[in-house]
Coordinates of all heavy atoms in Angstrom, one line a residue:
M1 N 1.4 7.2 7.1 CA 2.1 8.0 8.0 C 1.2 8.0 9.2 O 0.0 8.2 9.2 CB 2.2 9.4 7.4 CG 3.1 10.3 8.2 SD 2.5 10.9 9.7 CE 1.5 12.3 9.3
I2 N 1.9 7.7 10.3 CA 1.2 7.8 11.6 C 1.9 8.9 12.4 O 3.1 9.0 12.6 CB 1.4 6.5 12.4 CG1 0.8 5.3 11.7 CG2 0.8 6.6 13.8 CD1 1.0 4.0 12.3
N3 N 1.0 9.9 12.9 CA 1.5 11.1 13.6 C 1.0 11.0 15.0 O -0.3 11.2 15.2 CB 1.1 12.3 12.9 CG 1.7 13.5 13.6 OD1 2.8 13.9 13.4 ND2 0.8 14.2 14.4
L4 N 1.8 10.7 16.0 CA 1.4 10.7 17.4 C 1.8 12.1 17.9 O 3.0 12.4 18.1 CB 2.0 9.6 18.2 CG 1.8 9.6 19.7 CD1 0.3 9.4 20.0 CD2 2.6 8.6 20.4
D5 N 0.8 12.9 18.2 CA 1.1 14.2 18.7 C 0.4 14.5 20.0 O -0.7 14.9 20.2 CB 0.5 15.3 17.7 CG 1.2 16.6 17.9 OD1 1.9 16.9 18.8 OD2 0.9 17.5 17.0
G6 N 1.1 14.0 21.0 CA 0.6 14.2 22.4 C 0.3 12.8 23.0 O -0.5 12.1 22.5
A7 N 1.1 12.5 24.0 CA 0.9 11.2 24.7 C 1.1 11.4 26.2 O 1.9 10.8 26.8 CB 1.8 10.1 24.2
A8 N 0.4 12.4 26.7 CA 0.6 12.8 28.1 C -0.6 12.5 29.1 O -0.3 12.2 30.3 CB 0.9 14.3 28.1
H9 N -1.8 12.5 28.6 CA -2.9 12.4 29.5 C -4.1 11.8 28.8 O -4.9 12.5 28.2 CB -3.3 13.8 30.1 CG -4.2 13.7 31.2 ND1 -3.8 13.9 32.5 CD2 -5.5 13.5 31.3 CE1 -4.8 13.8 33.3 NE2 -5.9 13.5 32.5
L10 N -4.2 10.5 28.8 CA -5.2 9.8 28.1 C -6.5 9.8 29.0 O -6.5 9.2 30.1 CB -4.9 8.4 27.8 CG -5.9 7.5 27.1 CD1 -6.2 8.1 25.7 CD2 -5.3 6.1 26.9
H11 N -7.5 10.5 28.6 CA -8.7 10.6 29.4 C -9.6 9.3 29.3 O -9.5 8.4 30.1 CB -9.6 11.8 29.1 CG -8.9 13.1 29.5 ND1 -8.8 13.5 30.8 CD2 -8.3 14.1 28.7 CE1 -8.2 14.7 30.8 NE2 -7.8 15.0 29.6
Q12 N -10.3 9.2 28.2 CA -11.1 8.0 28.0 C -10.6 7.2 26.8 O -10.6 6.0 26.8 CB -12.6 8.5 27.7 CG -13.2 9.1 29.0 CD -14.5 9.7 28.7 OE1 -15.0 9.8 27.5 NE2 -15.3 10.0 29.7
A13 N -10.2 7.9 25.7 CA -9.8 7.2 24.5 C -8.9 8.1 23.7 O -9.0 9.4 23.8 CB -11.0 6.8 23.7
A14 N -8.0 7.6 22.9 CA -7.2 8.3 22.1 C -8.0 8.8 20.9 O -8.8 8.1 20.3 CB -6.0 7.4 21.5
A15 N -7.8 10.1 20.5 CA -8.5 10.6 19.4 C -7.7 10.2 18.1 O -6.5 10.3 18.1 CB -8.5 12.2 19.5
V16 N -8.5 9.8 17.1 CA -7.8 9.3 15.9 C -8.5 10.1 14.7 O -9.7 10.1 14.6 CB -8.0 7.8 15.7 CG1 -7.4 7.4 14.3 CG2 -7.3 7.1 16.8
E17 N -7.7 10.6 13.8 CA -8.2 11.3 12.6 C -7.5 10.6 11.4 O -6.2 10.6 11.4 CB -7.9 12.8 12.6 CG -8.4 13.5 11.4 CD -8.2 15.0 11.4 OE1 -8.8 15.6 12.3 OE2 -7.4 15.5 10.6
A18 N -8.2 10.1 10.5 CA -7.6 9.4 9.3 C -7.8 10.3 8.1 O -8.9 11.0 8.0 CB -8.2 8.1 9.1
G19 N -6.9 10.3 7.2 CA -7.1 11.1 6.0 C -6.3 10.4 4.8 O -5.5 9.5 5.0
G20 N -6.7 10.8 3.6 CA -6.1 10.2 2.4 C -6.6 8.7 2.3 O -7.6 8.4 3.0
P21 N -5.9 7.9 1.6 CA -6.3 6.5 1.4 C -5.9 5.7 2.6 O -5.0 4.7 2.5 CB -5.6 6.1 0.1 CG -4.4 6.9 0.1 CD -4.8 8.2 0.7
A22 N -6.4 5.9 3.8 CA -5.9 5.4 5.1 C -6.8 4.2 5.6 O -6.6 3.8 6.7 CB -5.9 6.4 6.1
H23 N -7.6 3.7 4.8 CA -8.5 2.6 5.3 C -7.8 1.4 5.8 O -8.0 0.9 6.9 CB -9.5 2.1 4.2 CG -10.4 3.2 3.7 ND1 -11.3 3.8 4.5 CD2 -10.4 3.9 2.5 CE1 -12.0 4.8 3.8 NE2 -11.4 4.8 2.5
A24 N -6.8 0.9 5.1 CA -6.0 -0.2 5.6 C -5.2 0.1 6.8 O -5.1 -0.7 7.8 CB -5.1 -0.8 4.5
L25 N -4.6 1.3 6.8 CA -3.8 1.7 8.0 C -4.7 1.9 9.2 O -4.4 1.5 10.3 CB -3.1 3.1 7.6 CG -2.2 3.6 8.7 CD1 -1.1 2.7 9.1 CD2 -1.6 4.9 8.2
L26 N -5.9 2.4 9.0 CA -6.8 2.6 10.1 C -7.3 1.2 10.6 O -7.4 1.1 11.9 CB -8.0 3.4 9.6 CG -9.0 3.9 10.7 CD1 -8.4 4.7 11.8 CD2 -10.2 4.7 10.1
A27 N -7.5 0.3 9.8 CA -7.9 -1.0 10.2 C -6.8 -1.7 11.0 O -7.1 -2.4 12.0 CB -8.2 -1.9 9.0
T28 N -5.6 -1.5 10.6 CA -4.4 -2.0 11.4 C -4.3 -1.4 12.7 O -4.0 -2.0 13.7 CB -3.1 -1.9 10.5 OG1 -3.3 -2.4 9.2 CG2 -1.9 -2.5 11.2
L29 N -4.5 0.0 12.7 CA -4.4 0.7 14.0 C -5.5 0.1 14.9 O -5.3 -0.1 16.1 CB -4.6 2.2 13.8 CG -4.6 3.0 15.1 CD1 -3.2 3.0 15.8 CD2 -5.0 4.4 14.8
D30 N -6.7 -0.1 14.4 CA -7.8 -0.6 15.2 C -7.5 -2.0 15.8 O -7.7 -2.3 16.9 CB -9.1 -0.7 14.4 CG -10.3 -1.2 15.1 OD1 -10.7 -0.5 16.1 OD2 -10.8 -2.3 14.8
Q31 N -6.9 -2.8 15.0 CA -6.5 -4.2 15.4 C -5.4 -4.0 16.5 O -5.5 -4.8 17.5 CB -5.9 -5.0 14.2 CG -5.6 -6.4 14.6 CD -5.0 -7.2 13.3 OE1 -4.8 -6.6 12.2 NE2 -4.7 -8.4 13.5
A32 N -4.4 -3.2 16.3 CA -3.4 -3.0 17.3 C -4.1 -2.4 18.7 O -3.6 -2.9 19.7 CB -2.4 -2.0 16.9
A33 N -5.0 -1.6 18.5 CA -5.7 -1.1 19.7 C -6.4 -2.2 20.5 O -6.4 -2.2 21.7 CB -6.6 0.1 19.3
R34 N -7.0 -3.1 19.8 CA -7.7 -4.2 20.4 C -6.7 -5.1 21.1 O -7.0 -5.6 22.2 CB -8.5 -5.0 19.4 CG -9.7 -4.2 18.9 CD -10.4 -4.9 17.7 NE -11.3 -4.0 17.0 CZ -12.5 -3.8 17.4 NH1 -13.1 -4.4 18.4 NH2 -13.3 -3.0 16.6
L35 N -5.5 -5.3 20.5 CA -4.5 -6.2 21.1 C -3.9 -5.6 22.3 O -3.6 -6.2 23.3 CB -3.4 -6.4 20.1 CG -3.7 -7.4 18.9 CD1 -2.6 -7.3 17.9 CD2 -4.0 -8.8 19.4
T36 N -3.8 -4.2 22.3 CA -3.1 -3.6 23.4 C -4.1 -3.0 24.5 O -3.7 -2.6 25.6 CB -2.3 -2.4 23.0 OG1 -3.1 -1.4 22.3 CG2 -1.1 -2.8 22.0
G37 N -5.4 -3.0 24.2 CA -6.3 -2.5 25.1 C -6.4 -1.0 25.1 O -7.0 -0.4 26.1
V38 N -5.8 -0.3 24.2 CA -6.0 1.2 24.1 C -7.2 1.5 23.4 O -7.4 1.2 22.3 CB -4.7 1.7 23.3 CG1 -4.8 3.3 23.2 CG2 -3.4 1.3 24.0
P39 N -8.1 2.3 24.1 CA -9.3 2.7 23.5 C -9.1 3.8 22.5 O -8.4 4.7 22.7 CB -10.2 3.1 24.7 CG -9.2 3.6 25.7 CD -8.0 2.7 25.5
L40 N -9.8 3.7 21.4 CA -9.8 4.7 20.3 C -11.1 5.3 20.1 O -12.2 4.7 20.3 CB -9.3 4.1 19.0 CG -8.0 3.4 19.0 CD1 -7.7 2.8 17.6 CD2 -6.8 4.2 19.4
R41 N -11.1 6.6 19.6 CA -12.4 7.2 19.1 C -12.0 8.2 18.0 O -10.9 8.7 17.9 CB -13.0 8.0 20.3 CG -12.2 9.2 20.8 CD -13.0 10.1 21.7 NE -12.1 11.2 22.2 CZ -11.8 12.3 21.6 NH1 -12.3 12.5 20.4 NH2 -11.0 13.2 22.1
A42 N -13.0 8.3 17.1 CA -12.8 9.3 16.0 C -12.8 10.7 16.6 O -13.6 11.0 17.4 CB -13.9 9.1 15.0
G43 N -11.9 11.5 16.2 CA -11.9 12.8 16.7 C -10.8 13.7 15.9 O -9.9 13.1 15.3
A44 N -11.0 14.9 16.0 CA -10.1 15.8 15.3 C -8.7 15.8 15.8 O -8.6 15.8 17.1 CB -10.6 17.3 15.3
M45 N -7.8 15.7 15.0 CA -6.4 15.6 15.4 C -5.6 16.6 14.4 O -5.0 16.1 13.4 CB -5.8 14.2 15.4 CG -4.5 14.0 15.9 SD -4.3 14.6 17.5 CE -2.7 15.2 17.5
A46 N -5.7 17.8 14.7 CA -5.1 18.8 13.7 C -3.6 18.9 14.0 O -3.1 19.6 14.8 CB -5.7 20.2 14.0
S47 N -2.9 18.1 13.2 CA -1.4 18.1 13.3 C -0.9 17.8 11.9 O -1.5 17.9 10.9 CB -1.0 17.1 14.3 OG 0.4 17.2 14.6
D48 N 0.4 17.4 11.9 CA 1.1 17.2 10.6 C 0.4 16.1 9.7 O 0.6 16.1 8.5 CB 2.6 16.8 10.8 CG 3.4 17.9 11.5 OD1 3.1 19.0 11.2 OD2 4.2 17.6 12.4
N49 N -0.4 15.2 10.3 CA -1.1 14.2 9.6 C -1.9 14.8 8.4 O -2.1 14.2 7.4 CB -1.9 13.3 10.4 CG -2.9 14.1 11.3 OD1 -2.5 14.8 12.2 ND2 -4.2 13.9 11.1
R50 N -2.4 16.0 8.7 CA -3.3 16.6 7.7 C -2.5 17.0 6.4 O -3.0 17.0 5.3 CB -4.0 17.9 8.3 CG -5.1 17.4 9.3 CD -5.8 18.6 9.7 NE -6.9 18.1 10.6 CZ -7.7 18.9 11.3 NH1 -7.6 20.3 11.1 NH2 -8.7 18.4 12.1
R51 N -1.3 17.4 6.6 CA -0.4 17.8 5.4 C -0.2 16.5 4.5 O -0.2 16.6 3.3 CB 0.9 18.4 5.8 CG 0.7 19.7 6.5 CD 2.1 20.3 6.8 NE 1.9 21.5 7.6 CZ 2.8 22.2 8.1 NH1 4.1 21.8 7.9 NH2 2.6 23.3 8.7
Y52 N 0.1 15.4 5.2 CA 0.3 14.2 4.4 C -0.9 13.7 3.7 O -0.9 13.3 2.5 CB 0.9 13.1 5.3 CG 2.3 13.3 5.8 CD1 2.6 14.1 6.9 CD2 3.4 12.9 5.0 CE1 3.9 14.3 7.3 CE2 4.7 13.2 5.4 CZ 4.9 13.9 6.5 OH 6.3 14.1 6.9
A53 N -2.1 13.8 4.4 CA -3.3 13.4 3.8 C -3.7 14.3 2.6 O -4.1 13.9 1.6 CB -4.4 13.4 4.8
A54 N -3.4 15.6 2.8 CA -3.7 16.5 1.6 C -2.8 16.2 0.5 O -3.2 16.6 -0.7 CB -3.4 18.0 2.1
A55 N -1.6 15.6 0.7 CA -0.8 15.3 -0.4 C -1.2 13.9 -1.0 O -0.5 13.4 -2.0 CB 0.7 15.2 0.1
G56 N -2.2 13.3 -0.5 CA -2.7 12.0 -1.1 C -2.2 10.8 -0.4 O -2.4 9.7 -1.0
L57 N -1.5 10.9 0.7 CA -0.9 9.8 1.4 C -1.8 9.3 2.5 O -2.6 10.1 3.0 CB 0.5 10.2 2.0 CG 1.5 10.7 1.0 CD1 2.7 11.1 1.6 CD2 1.9 9.5 0.0
A58 N -1.7 8.0 2.8 CA -2.5 7.5 3.9 C -1.9 8.1 5.2 O -0.6 8.1 5.4 CB -2.3 6.0 4.0
A59 N -2.7 8.7 6.0 CA -2.2 9.4 7.2 C -3.2 9.3 8.3 O -4.4 9.4 8.1 CB -2.0 10.9 6.9
I60 N -2.6 9.1 9.5 CA -3.5 9.0 10.7 C -2.8 9.9 11.8 O -1.6 9.8 12.0 CB -3.6 7.5 11.2 CG1 -4.4 6.7 10.2 CG2 -4.2 7.5 12.6 CD1 -4.6 5.3 10.6
G61 N -3.6 10.6 12.4 CA -3.1 11.4 13.6 C -3.8 10.8 14.8 O -4.9 10.5 14.8
I62 N -2.9 10.7 15.9 CA -3.4 10.1 17.1 C -3.0 11.1 18.2 O -1.9 11.6 18.3 CB -2.6 8.8 17.4 CG1 -2.9 7.8 16.3 CG2 -3.2 8.2 18.8 CD1 -1.9 6.6 16.4
G63 N -4.0 11.4 19.1 CA -3.8 12.3 20.2 C -4.2 11.7 21.5 O -5.3 11.2 21.6
M64 N -3.4 11.8 22.5 CA -3.7 11.2 23.8 C -3.5 12.3 24.9 O -3.2 12.0 26.0 CB -2.8 10.0 24.1 CG -3.0 8.9 23.2 SD -2.0 7.5 23.8 CE -2.5 6.2 22.7
G65 N -3.7 13.5 24.5 CA -3.8 14.6 25.5 C -2.4 15.3 25.8 O -1.4 14.6 25.8
M66 N -2.4 16.5 25.9 CA -1.2 17.3 26.3 C -1.6 18.5 27.2 O -2.0 19.5 26.7 CB -0.5 17.8 25.0 CG 0.0 16.8 24.2 SD 1.0 17.4 22.7 CE -0.2 18.2 21.8
P67 N -1.7 18.3 28.5 CA -2.0 19.4 29.4 C -1.1 20.6 29.2 O 0.1 20.4 29.1 CB -1.9 18.8 30.8 CG -1.9 17.3 30.6 CD -1.3 17.0 29.2
G68 N -1.7 21.7 29.1 CA -1.0 23.0 28.9 C -0.3 23.1 27.6 O 0.7 23.8 27.4
Y69 N -0.9 22.5 26.6 CA -0.3 22.5 25.2 C 0.3 23.8 24.8 O -0.4 24.8 24.7 CB -1.3 22.0 24.2 CG -0.8 21.8 22.8 CD1 0.2 21.0 22.4 CD2 -1.4 22.6 21.8 CE1 0.7 20.9 21.2 CE2 -0.9 22.5 20.5 CZ 0.1 21.6 20.1 OH 0.6 21.5 18.9
Q70 N 1.5 23.8 24.4 CA 2.3 25.0 23.9 C 2.2 26.2 24.8 O 2.0 27.4 24.3 CB 1.9 25.3 22.5 CG 2.3 24.2 21.5 CD 2.1 24.5 20.0 OE1 1.4 25.5 19.7 NE2 2.6 23.7 19.2
T71 N 2.2 26.0 26.1 CA 2.2 27.1 27.1 C 3.3 26.7 28.1 O 3.8 25.6 28.1 CB 0.9 27.2 27.8 OG1 0.7 26.1 28.7 CG2 -0.3 27.4 26.9
P72 N 3.6 27.7 29.0 CA 4.6 27.3 30.0 C 4.1 26.2 30.9 O 5.0 25.5 31.6 CB 4.8 28.6 30.8 CG 4.5 29.7 29.8 CD 3.3 29.1 29.0
A73 N 2.8 25.9 30.9 CA 2.3 24.8 31.8 C 2.5 23.4 31.2 O 2.3 22.4 31.8 CB 0.8 25.0 32.0
E74 N 3.0 23.3 29.9 CA 3.3 22.1 29.3 C 4.7 21.6 29.8 O 5.8 21.9 29.2 CB 3.4 22.2 27.8 CG 3.5 20.9 27.1 CD 3.5 21.0 25.6 OE1 3.7 22.1 25.0 OE2 3.3 20.0 24.8
T75 N 4.7 20.9 30.9 CA 5.9 20.5 31.5 C 6.0 18.9 31.7 O 4.9 18.3 31.7 CB 6.1 21.1 32.9 OG1 4.9 20.7 33.7 CG2 6.2 22.6 32.9
P76 N 7.1 18.4 31.7 CA 7.3 16.9 31.8 C 6.5 16.2 33.0 O 6.1 15.1 32.9 CB 8.8 16.7 31.9 CG 9.4 17.9 31.4 CD 8.5 19.0 31.6
D77 N 6.5 16.9 34.1 CA 5.8 16.3 35.3 C 4.3 16.1 35.0 O 3.7 15.4 35.8 CB 6.0 17.3 36.5 CG 5.5 18.6 36.4 OD1 5.8 19.3 35.4 OD2 4.6 19.0 37.2
R78 N 3.8 16.7 34.0 CA 2.3 16.5 33.7 C 2.1 15.3 32.8 O 0.9 15.0 32.5 CB 1.8 17.8 33.1 CG 1.9 19.0 34.0 CD 1.2 20.2 33.6 NE -0.2 20.1 33.7 CZ -1.1 20.9 33.3 NH1 -0.6 22.0 32.7 NH2 -2.4 20.7 33.4
V79 N 3.1 14.7 32.4 CA 3.0 13.4 31.6 C 2.6 12.3 32.5 O 3.4 12.0 33.5 CB 4.3 13.1 30.7 CG1 4.1 11.8 30.0 CG2 4.6 14.3 29.8
Q80 N 1.6 11.6 32.1 CA 1.2 10.4 32.9 C 2.0 9.2 32.3 O 1.8 8.9 31.1 CB -0.3 10.1 32.8 CG -1.2 11.1 33.4 CD -2.6 10.8 33.2 OE1 -3.1 10.1 32.3 NE2 -3.5 11.4 34.1
P81 N 2.8 8.6 33.1 CA 3.6 7.4 32.6 C 2.8 6.4 31.9 O 3.2 5.8 30.9 CB 4.3 6.9 33.8 CG 4.4 8.1 34.7 CD 3.2 8.9 34.5
D82 N 1.6 6.0 32.5 CA 0.7 5.0 31.9 C 0.3 5.4 30.4 O 0.1 4.5 29.6 CB -0.5 4.8 32.7 CG -0.1 4.1 34.1 OD1 1.0 3.6 34.2 OD2 -1.0 4.0 34.9
T83 N 0.1 6.7 30.2 CA -0.3 7.2 28.9 C 0.8 7.0 27.9 O 0.6 6.6 26.8 CB -0.8 8.6 29.0 OG1 -2.0 8.7 29.8 CG2 -1.2 9.1 27.6
L84 N 2.0 7.4 28.4 CA 3.2 7.3 27.5 C 3.4 5.8 27.1 O 3.7 5.5 26.0 CB 4.4 7.9 28.2 CG 5.6 8.2 27.4 CD1 5.3 9.1 26.2 CD2 6.6 8.8 28.2
V85 N 3.2 4.9 28.1 CA 3.4 3.5 27.8 C 2.3 3.0 26.9 O 2.7 2.2 25.9 CB 3.4 2.7 29.1 CG1 3.3 1.2 28.9 CG2 4.7 3.0 30.0
A86 N 1.1 3.4 27.1 CA 0.0 3.0 26.2 C 0.3 3.5 24.7 O 0.1 2.7 23.8 CB -1.3 3.5 26.7
A87 N 0.8 4.7 24.6 CA 1.1 5.2 23.2 C 2.2 4.4 22.6 O 2.1 4.0 21.4 CB 1.5 6.6 23.4
A88 N 3.2 4.1 23.3 CA 4.3 3.3 22.8 C 3.8 1.9 22.4 O 4.2 1.4 21.3 CB 5.5 3.2 23.8
Q89 N 3.0 1.2 23.3 CA 2.5 -0.1 22.9 C 1.6 -0.1 21.7 O 1.7 -1.0 20.8 CB 1.7 -0.7 24.1 CG 2.6 -1.0 25.3 CD 1.8 -1.4 26.5 OE1 0.7 -1.0 26.7 NE2 2.4 -2.1 27.4
L90 N 0.8 0.9 21.6 CA -0.1 1.1 20.4 C 0.8 1.2 19.1 O 0.5 0.6 18.1 CB -1.0 2.2 20.6 CG -2.0 2.5 19.4 CD1 -2.9 1.3 19.2 CD2 -2.8 3.8 19.7
L91 N 1.8 2.1 19.1 CA 2.6 2.3 17.9 C 3.4 1.1 17.6 O 3.5 0.7 16.4 CB 3.5 3.5 18.2 CG 2.8 4.9 18.2 CD1 3.8 6.0 18.4 CD2 2.1 5.1 16.8
V92 N 4.0 0.5 18.6 CA 4.8 -0.7 18.3 C 3.9 -1.9 17.8 O 4.3 -2.5 16.8 CB 5.6 -1.2 19.6 CG1 6.2 -2.6 19.4 CG2 6.6 -0.2 20.0
A93 N 2.8 -2.1 18.3 CA 1.9 -3.1 17.8 C 1.4 -2.8 16.4 O 1.3 -3.7 15.6 CB 0.6 -3.2 18.8
T94 N 1.1 -1.6 16.1 CA 0.7 -1.2 14.8 C 1.8 -1.5 13.8 O 1.6 -2.1 12.7 CB 0.3 0.3 14.7 OG1 -0.7 0.5 15.6 CG2 -0.2 0.7 13.3
V95 N 3.0 -1.0 14.0 CA 4.2 -1.3 13.2 C 4.4 -2.8 13.0 O 4.7 -3.3 11.9 CB 5.4 -0.6 13.6 CG1 6.7 -1.0 12.9 CG2 5.2 0.9 13.5
W96 N 4.3 -3.5 14.1 CA 4.5 -5.0 14.1 C 3.4 -5.6 13.2 O 3.9 -6.5 12.3 CB 4.3 -5.5 15.5 CG 4.6 -7.0 15.6 CD1 3.6 -8.0 15.6 CD2 5.8 -7.7 15.7 NE1 4.3 -9.3 15.6 CE2 5.6 -9.0 15.7 CE3 7.1 -7.2 15.7 CZ2 6.6 -10.0 15.8 CZ3 8.2 -8.2 15.8 CH2 7.9 -9.5 15.8
L97 N 2.2 -5.2 13.2 CA 1.2 -5.7 12.3 C 1.4 -5.3 10.9 O 1.1 -6.1 10.0 CB -0.2 -5.3 12.8 CG -0.7 -6.0 14.1 CD1 -1.9 -5.2 14.7 CD2 -0.9 -7.4 14.0
L98 N 2.0 -4.2 10.6 CA 2.2 -3.6 9.3 C 3.5 -4.3 8.7 O 3.6 -4.3 7.5 CB 2.4 -2.2 9.3 CG 1.2 -1.3 9.5 CD1 1.5 0.1 9.7 CD2 0.2 -1.5 8.3
A99 N 4.4 -4.8 9.5 CA 5.7 -5.3 9.0 C 5.6 -6.3 7.9 O 6.3 -6.1 6.9 CB 6.5 -5.9 10.2
P100 N 4.7 -7.3 7.9 CA 4.7 -8.2 6.7 C 4.3 -7.5 5.4 O 4.9 -7.8 4.4 CB 3.6 -9.2 7.1 CG 3.5 -9.2 8.6 CD 3.8 -7.8 8.9
S101 N 3.4 -6.5 5.5 CA 3.0 -5.9 4.2 C 4.1 -4.9 3.8 O 4.3 -4.7 2.6 CB 1.7 -5.1 4.4 OG 1.8 -4.1 5.4
I102 N 4.9 -4.4 4.7 CA 6.0 -3.5 4.4 C 7.1 -4.3 3.7 O 7.7 -4.0 2.7 CB 6.5 -2.7 5.6 CG1 5.4 -1.8 6.1 CG2 7.8 -2.0 5.3 CD1 5.7 -1.1 7.5
A103 N 7.4 -5.4 4.3 CA 8.5 -6.3 3.8 C 8.1 -6.8 2.4 O 9.0 -6.9 1.5 CB 8.7 -7.5 4.8
S104 N 6.9 -7.2 2.2 CA 6.5 -7.7 0.8 C 6.5 -6.6 -0.3 O 6.7 -6.9 -1.4 CB 5.1 -8.3 0.9 OG 4.1 -7.3 1.1
A105 N 6.5 -5.3 0.2 CA 6.5 -4.2 -0.8 C 8.0 -4.0 -1.3 O 8.2 -3.4 -2.3 CB 5.9 -3.0 -0.2
W106 N 8.9 -4.5 -0.6 CA 10.4 -4.3 -1.0 C 10.7 -5.4 -1.9 O 11.4 -5.7 -2.6 CB 11.3 -4.4 0.2 CG 11.1 -3.1 1.1 CD1 10.3 -2.1 0.9 CD2 11.9 -2.8 2.3 NE1 10.4 -1.2 2.0 CE2 11.4 -1.6 2.7 CE3 12.9 -3.5 2.9 CZ2 12.0 -1.0 3.8 CZ3 13.4 -2.9 4.0 CH2 13.0 -1.7 4.5

């Protein structure tokens, strides 16, 4: 499970928190980050990913910043388009790299 919770303001690197048996998923995310040029760093990402990891599933949380999180200051105009594009590229590249292993599991 990949949980992207916040893609509004990428400062230096996206925070990534892995849980459960996520070694392969994390390696794929790292490969996608290298392909897309999105910098990653280990960091706390307290979101829904933790529930999936606690249930024993491979889970990764990715955070790219959310100015004014859950306040009236959290408005669309504070989203940096480049950050949103970087998040989309990272997720698409990760899924693309996972696609052969997903197809073979069916």
Side-chain angles (χ1 to χ4, degrees):
M1 190 285 277
I2 300 172
N3 184 79
L4 174 64
D5 197 353
H9 192 105
L10 183 61
H11 291 287
Q12 296 173 347
V16 176
E17 178 179 297
H23 300 293
L25 184 56
L26 188 58
T28 304
L29 179 68
D30 181 64
Q31 184 181 2
R34 293 171 194 274
L35 289 171
T36 59
V38 176
L40 304 178
R41 68 172 173 78
M45 186 56 213
S47 191
D48 296 322
N49 54 294
R50 290 186 177 176
R51 291 181 185 179
Y52 288 91
L57 301 172
I60 292 180
I62 305 169
M64 295 187 176
M66 294 184 298
Y69 181 62
Q70 294 187 347
T71 72
E74 185 180 19
T75 56
D77 62 302
R78 298 186 74 185
V79 175
Q80 295 176 337
D82 290 346
T83 298
L84 196 54
V85 168
Q89 290 173 335
L90 179 63
L91 289 176
V92 168
T94 303
V95 171
W96 183 263
L97 291 168
L98 289 170
S101 62
I102 294 169
S104 68
W106 288 4

